[in-house]
Amino acid sequence: ATECVDRSATVHYSMRKMLEVISRHSKRMTLALDDLQWADPNSLRVITSLLEDVKDNGKVFFVLCYRDDESADPFSEWFSSIKGCPLEIVSLENISASGVNELLSETMHLPPRLTRTLASALTSKTQGNPLFVRQLLEVLREQKLIYIQLRPLRWMWDID
């Protein structure tokens, strides 16, 4: 346990010093931390300390990303405890079927009426989660289920 505390203190000290040095030589900086719902308690303590260290700095901006549908109790408790820091919560919702269709239409340079069936299939499989839509599109392209037809030149797909 002492070893973990020492590591946590070392990481905190190193990160604090790094932020001090970088922010001293720059106008502003953004530090993005993703998937915090999976962070261990020691990491969350380090993040809390860093937030408190730079609270009045004005040069360091944190973007803390997490999935609230996958949050565990330790994360939820931690998140409630940092409410003393100035926070602005931005919630991202899933994309609607028409939004997925618009995305596909613009990406593939096709009219929305042609991408509607593909959009419907993607929305059905991903519930409109933007990350899952992108990942599924990549998999479908890798498996050559979405491909470029040469004559006429346009995107095509073969999914059911």
Side-chain angles (χ1 to χ4, degrees):
T2 305
E3 186 178 312
C4 287
V5 171
D6 292 342
R7 279 191 199 151
S8 181
T10 301
V11 168
H12 172 240
Y13 177 80
S14 301
M15 291 291 294
R16 187 181 69 196
K17 286 298 180 189
M18 180 189 71
L19 291 176
E20 283 177 17
V21 169
I22 293 172
S23 67
R24 194 176 316 134
H25 298 287
S26 66
K27 291 183 181 178
R28 290 197 174 99
M29 86 184 256
T30 301
L31 186 61
L33 304 171
D34 197 8
D35 288 332
L36 288 180
Q37 74 277 6
W38 304 119
D40 63 277
N42 284 329
S43 298
L44 294 174
R45 277 193 287 280
V46 168
I47 295 167
T48 300
S49 297
L50 291 173
L51 288 169
E52 291 169 357
D53 290 345
V54 301
K55 188 172 12 180
D56 300 321
N57 178 307
K59 289 186 170 188
V60 181
F61 178 74
F62 280 86
V63 176
L64 306 175
C65 304
Y66 68 95
R67 291 175 178 229
D68 56 2
D69 60 337
E70 295 181 14
S71 297
D73 287 337
F75 174 80
S76 299
E77 291 170 17
W78 172 79
F79 190 70
S80 295
S81 77
I82 64 166
K83 297 287 185 183
C85 296
L87 297 175
E88 183 170 335
I89 297 173
V90 178
S91 297
L92 302 179
E93 302 296 327
N94 289 343
I95 304 171
S96 66
S98 64
V100 171
N101 191 38
E102 184 178 336
L103 173 74
L104 290 174
S105 172
E106 289 179 13
T107 302
M108 297 177 154
H109 303 286
L110 292 170
R113 66 181 169 73
L114 295 179
T115 57
R116 196 168 291 120
T117 57
L118 178 60
S120 176
L122 290 176
T123 303
S124 169
K125 296 199 180 293
T126 65
Q127 280 73 51
N129 180 311
L131 173 64
F132 297 160
V133 169
R134 190 183 118 239
Q135 289 175 335
L136 182 55
L137 279 170
E138 286 177 16
V139 167
L140 292 171
R141 189 187 51 77
E142 287 169 6
Q143 294 177 353
K144 300 194 181 347
L145 296 172
I146 294 179
Y147 54 93
I148 294 180
Q149 175 182 287
L150 296 177
R151 292 196 182 167
L153 185 61
R154 64 167 259 195
W155 284 96
M156 297 292 294
W157 48 91
D158 185 21
I159 62 171
D160 292 319

